[in-house]
Structure formats: structure tokens, C-alpha cells
Amino acid sequence: WRAPPGTRTLTPRFGPSKPMLAFRFLRALTLVHRTAANSSNAARSRRIQRAAFASMAYSAGPRRAWSRALLCRLHFHRARRRCAGRRRAAGVPRRPSTTGSPADGLRRLVPGGTGMDYCGLLEETADYIRCLSEQVKLMQSIVDSVGPGGR
Amino acid sequence: MSSRRSRVSEEEINRLVSKLQSLLPETRQRGAGRASAAKLLKETCNYIRSLNRDVDDLSDRLSAIMATMDSSSAEAEMVRSLLRS
């Protein structure tokens, strides 16, 4: 059984509602705009990227291992930021190495994946993909309606 | 016995693998039949990487858009775009 595309109604057990995701992300964007107006494009872009993963994780809440792992990573980075001076945006997955089995590859890509058994990994991956693709659609729709030529 | 338990988890794994396959965009579902879970996992990895690249690219574009806006219109525009979608 497969749901026909575009007919996904609000089923809370499948994850955050789209309006909540949108509100969180837009709120984060306005904060970035207010506080990073004089930053470089690259620095602002990193903050926006971080805001994307943060709003994803906050919207999913603690019910998922991947969102818990992302939230931990984000808070950890904020605490370390003054000491480490690292430039990579927090919460953004590193470029994974290409060694190991496909399941290992997946474990490196899904936040919190390294500790998981196979079944848990598949469940978390499905949820993570759903949320990540929603986030991408949200960002795309903002760019489409707000960007140059989109009105 | 343990063989019975592994049969049950195998069904569960097949179910989860099918669910994952249905989440991939159609172009990535080709050729990832039930027999090749490894191939499906690889496609899933590729899909996640491409989603990460999309977030990266869209963040760049949002940053560039932000640079051209003054504070009062930026927030109004963003709220309007939310109401439109």
C-alpha cells in the first residue's frame, strides 16, 4: 500500500505539522536577518542552514532519536562556539566517508544513527527523510515567493 | 527458537525497507527492487546527500535575498509568503 502523492493529511504520528515547521523557520530567519545584517553572505548562509536544521529538530521534538541527536549537537555547538572557533555550521552533517556497508553510510548521514540497530536505523531514516524533504520544500517555496521575480 | 524470532524481524525489516523505498523520489526508486536492500540503502544515502546540498544551496539563496531587503519589508515578505503557500 502506498499513499497517492500529495494527499498526505495531518497525521500527528508522522511528524511535525507543516505550519509549525514554517513558523519556526520563519521566526529563525527574521532573527538571522536582524542580527546578521552586516555579516558576509557565507556567514549568514551558515546561520540560515543552522536555523533550518534547528527548526526541523525543534518541530520534531524529543520523540525521535534523530531530532534528539540534532538538538544535542546544536546545544553542544552553541556552548563550544566561543572556544572552538569552528566555522562549520552546527547540526549540518559532515561529509561522510565512503567506506563501510551501506547501512554504515546511512548511520553517518542520519543524526544519532551511529548507535542504532538496523530496524531502528530504518525507522529513523524514514522519518528523517520525510522531515528533511519538507524543510527543503519550505525553503524552496520561500525562495520562490520572496526571491527576485517571485511575486 | 531463535529462528522464529529472526523470521519475524526479517518481515519487519522488509516492511521498513519498502517504506523507505516509497519515500524516495521516483527517479531514485528505479532498479531498487526488494532483493537489493543494499542498493536501496545506497540510494537513500544519495538522496539524503542531495537534500543536504539543497539545504546548502537554498540557504545561500535566502542569504542573498536577505541582503537585498530592509528590515521592515523582510519580515512582511516572509509572512506573506507563508500565507500564500
Side-chain angles (χ1 to χ4, degrees), chain A residues 65-133:
Chain A
W66 68 261
S67 54
R68 287 195 299 271
L70 260 186
L71 290 172
C72 276
R73 208 187 288 178
L74 291 165
H75 290 162
F76 181 62
H77 176 87
R78 191 185 301 160
R80 276 187 59 182
R81 201 168 40 174
R82 293 187 190 96
C83 318
R86 206 184 291 191
R87 305 297 283 166
R88 185 177 60 86
V92 176
R94 288 178 202 264
R95 188 182 303 274
S97 64
T98 50
T99 57
S101 67
D104 286 340
L106 206 52
R107 282 197 176 88
R108 283 189 287 264
L109 282 169
V110 175
T114 45
M116 287 178 199
D117 63 84
Y118 191 60
C119 268
L121 178 67
L122 294 180
E123 286 266 20
E124 289 291 315
T125 302
D127 195 69
Y128 184 60
I129 285 181
R130 261 192 290 263
C131 293
L132 187 52
S133 62

Side-chain angles (χ1 to χ4, degrees), chain A residues 2 22-23 26 29-30 33-34 41 44-45 48-49 102 106 109 123 126 129 139 143 145-147 151, chain B residues 13 16 19 23 29 41 44-45 47 56 58-61 63 65-67 69 71 75 77 81-82 84:
Chain A
R2 192 183 298 185
F23 274 120
L26 289 175
L29 277 184
T30 54
H33 180 79
R34 243 181 260 148
N41 256 14
R44 203 167 34 232
S45 171
I48 293 173
Q49 198 172 24
L106 206 52
L109 282 169
E123 286 266 20
I129 285 181
M139 292 170 84
V143 167
S145 52
V146 176
R151 196 159 281 274
Chain B
I13 286 175
L16 290 170
K19 182 164 83 163
L23 287 173
Q29 286 184 30
L41 290 188
T44 306
C45 287
Y47 184 44
D56 201 6
L58 289 165
S59 297
D60 283 343
R61 290 165 73 182
S63 174
I65 289 168
M66 238 184 232
M69 289 177 163
S71 350
E75 296 179 23
E77 275 300 330
S81 80
L82 169 66
R84 266 197 293 266

Side-chain angles (χ1 to χ4, degrees), chain B residues 2-84:
Chain B
S2 61
S3 63
R4 181 153 181 236
R5 198 193 311 168
S6 68
R7 209 171 32 243
V8 171
S9 358
E10 207 176 305
E11 282 169 21
E12 179 70 5
I13 286 175
N14 286 338
R15 185 185 71 80
L16 290 170
V17 168
S18 293
K19 182 164 83 163
L20 210 49
Q21 183 174 6
S22 70
L23 287 173
L24 300 183
E26 276 176 25
T27 50
R28 291 188 186 270
Q29 286 184 30
R30 271 195 314 251
R34 193 179 283 193
S36 48
K39 182 153 186 194
L40 180 77
L41 290 188
K42 274 192 183 156
E43 274 309 310
T44 306
C45 287
N46 289 339
Y47 184 44
I48 294 179
R49 283 188 202 110
S50 92
L51 287 173
N52 285 337
R53 280 195 300 271
D54 288 343
V55 172
D56 201 6
D57 175 57
L58 289 165
S59 297
D60 283 343
R61 290 165 73 182
L62 283 171
S63 174
I65 289 168
M66 238 184 232
T68 66
M69 289 177 163
D70 63 73
S71 350
S72 54
S73 71
E75 296 179 23
E77 275 300 330
M78 285 171 186
V79 172
R80 270 198 286 272
S81 80
L82 169 66
L83 295 174
R84 266 197 293 266

